[in-house]
Amino acid sequence: MDLVTGDVLRRRMVEEQIRRRGIRDARVLSAMETVPRHLFLPKELRQRAYADEPLPIGEGQTISQPYIVAEMTAALRLSGTERVLEIGTGSGYQTAILARLCREVVTIERFESLSADARALLTTMDARNVTFVVGDGSLGSPGHAPFDRILSAAASPSVPAPWISQLSECGIIVLPVGGRYEQELTRVTRIGDRTETEAFGACRFVPLVGTHGFQR
Ligand code: SAH
């Protein structure tokens, strides 16, 4: 796919799949118009990069549908100053979007190969505010905490306790919560010692495999 075609398809993706479905956060829309999503896919799937669907990225994992990326990112309410923990680097697409919208991203992936590919690609895009970690993201990243925001692209039966303890006051966590095959997009907002939980739609994500997620 050449750059001009990518631009046109991306603008159409944002208009038809994202803005039309109600996402109005201008910074999120602009990031999604800018990041070349096709480069995050295996070559043979690049022509489908701007379609309204999730796609396989290797290791049995998937890149989320564009709308879901936009919806979860908007739910984080980023102003640009935040430190964000991302669980499930995968292709690095969501990481690239976050890197444009906040101060610093720490991103954790359990598959070394996915993390290495994402790191190489993001380096070519000059994303300097991203730290890549390989390991069990259900434990968070105690050495980098506290975080203003936590975003997980892997589904968990409940909100992992370490994430709440690594969240700053007034922090926000967005993740899919539920069973292995069906979940609810969920936003947890910390207000001092209290947390508020809102569900905002059904979804289907790959499982968070780890100590505070699913066992395998
Ligand atoms: N945001 C990614 C989506 C990847 S799918 C993208 O834009 O491409 C979710 C990812 O979470 C998968 O790559 C999976 O390997 C990873 N994952 C699952 N459990 C994990 C865990 N405990 N720690 C870190 N990563 C995990």
Side-chain angles (χ1 to χ4, degrees), residues 5 26 30 50 61 72 95 100 141 149 158 168 174 179 182 206:
T5 313
S30 152
Y50 299 102
Q61 307 304 319
M72 293 179 87
T95 319
R100 302 186 73 88
S141 188
R149 302 288 188 266
S158 59
S168 57
V174 172
E182 211 190 350
V206 299

Side-chain angles (χ1 to χ4, degrees), residues 57 59 61-64 69 86-95 108-111 114 135-139 153-154 205-211:
I57 54 170
E59 304 285 7
Q61 307 304 319
T62 51
I63 183 172
S64 305
V69 173
E86 181 194 30
I87 290 92
T89 314
S91 67
Y93 174 67
Q94 171 82 71
T95 319
I108 312 184
E109 170 56 55
R110 59 189 275 263
F111 289 104
L114 293 177
D136 177 8
S138 79
L139 302 168
F205 278 77
V206 299
L208 179 76
V209 178
T211 309

Side-chain angles (χ1 to χ4, degrees), residues 69-104:
V69 173
E71 190 181 28
M72 293 179 87
T73 309
L76 283 180
R77 298 190 171 137
L78 293 167
S79 70
T81 58
E82 297 84 1
R83 300 188 67 238
V84 179
L85 173 67
E86 181 194 30
I87 290 92
T89 314
S91 67
Y93 174 67
Q94 171 82 71
T95 319
I97 299 284
L98 291 172
R100 302 186 73 88
L101 297 174
C102 70
R103 181 154 59 89
E104 194 187 338

